[in-house]
Amino acid sequence: LSVAGRPPLRLDFSDRLRPGAEACIARLRTEGLRVILLSGDRAAPVAALAAQLGIDDWRSGIDPTGKADAIARLSDAGARVLMVGDGLNDTAALARAYASISPASALDAARVASDMVLTGRTLAPVAEALVIARQATRRIRENFAISIGYNVIAVPIALLGMATPLLAALAMSISSITVTLNALRLNGKAR
């Protein structure tokens, strides 16, 4: 910046990581998940950011269509892609992803395109959301198995007339309580 009669002043700009970014990436990698950094920025800052976060797979200079195409290629290859983004250039990719997350500070278009919006400033909930989603899926499968098991045993007994109405009501209540308690185990682990 140069002002008449004064020596030029240099202005340097740099990006800062969002709070929790390093912990989030480390947790995702610990969970065995592939992390890819897609950015529209120049190669040098993207490479520095990727190195700081320990991300080996990064791409720079990607326009919004390129990001959406990258998500589409991963999806077509069978990946269930979680996209995290906050800018207008991320909107198409957020919409294309299997699941998407934006911070509350993201542009309106990015927040609308996302499946989940983080209310705090930290990115740590991204990794936590994936852990909880896996646990919830496991509980759902367990509950289906419990329900199927109950019906495989209880329906023939009822059809043969071997169950009194009181016994059937009690068995049904026990089944419902079992499924509910199994689902509540997720709540204890989420904290």
Side-chain angles (χ1 to χ4, degrees):
L1 176 65
S2 180
V3 178
R6 295 187 182 159
L9 176 66
R10 178 181 167 148
L11 299 176
D12 291 316
F13 297 93
S14 63
D15 288 329
R16 283 182 288 167
L17 289 176
R18 285 191 180 271
E22 289 175 293
C24 177
I25 299 299
R27 177 106 184 250
L28 294 174
R29 293 172 54 96
T30 300
E31 293 288 326
L33 297 171
R34 180 180 176 194
V35 178
I36 302 170
L37 174 61
L38 303 174
S39 177
D41 293 337
R42 293 177 299 111
V46 176
L49 179 65
Q52 182 179 356
L53 292 172
I55 299 173
D56 299 325
D57 192 353
W58 59 271
R59 296 167 204 145
S60 62
I62 300 180
D63 64 13
T65 303
K67 288 182 181 185
D69 290 344
I71 300 297
R73 282 191 300 277
L74 290 165
S75 297
D76 292 345
R80 289 183 290 173
V81 179
L82 169 65
M83 170 71 181
V84 179
D86 64 355
L88 187 59
N89 59 348
D90 297 323
T91 305
L94 288 165
R96 177 66 176 92
Y98 182 80
S100 55
I101 300 175
S102 289
S105 60
L107 293 177
D108 288 342
R111 287 195 317 263
V112 168
S114 295
D115 298 308
M116 180 173 147
V117 176
L118 302 175
T119 57
R121 296 192 40 81
T122 180
L123 290 179
V126 171
E128 190 65 25
L130 289 174
V131 170
I132 291 170
R134 284 181 171 175
Q135 291 172 347
T137 301
R138 196 173 311 122
R139 294 294 173 268
I140 290 167
R141 288 184 180 131
E142 289 170 357
N143 285 342
F144 274 124
I146 290 168
S147 296
I148 290 169
Y150 165 80
N151 286 308
V152 164
I153 294 168
V155 170
I157 290 173
L159 288 174
L160 293 172
M162 298 171 55
T164 64
L166 178 61
L167 182 61
L170 183 61
M172 188 63 188
S173 296
I174 290 171
S175 171
S176 296
I177 290 169
T178 302
V179 167
T180 302
L181 290 175
N182 189 46
L184 289 175
R185 287 181 19 204
L186 177 64
N187 192 31
K189 290 185 178 184
R191 293 179 185 174

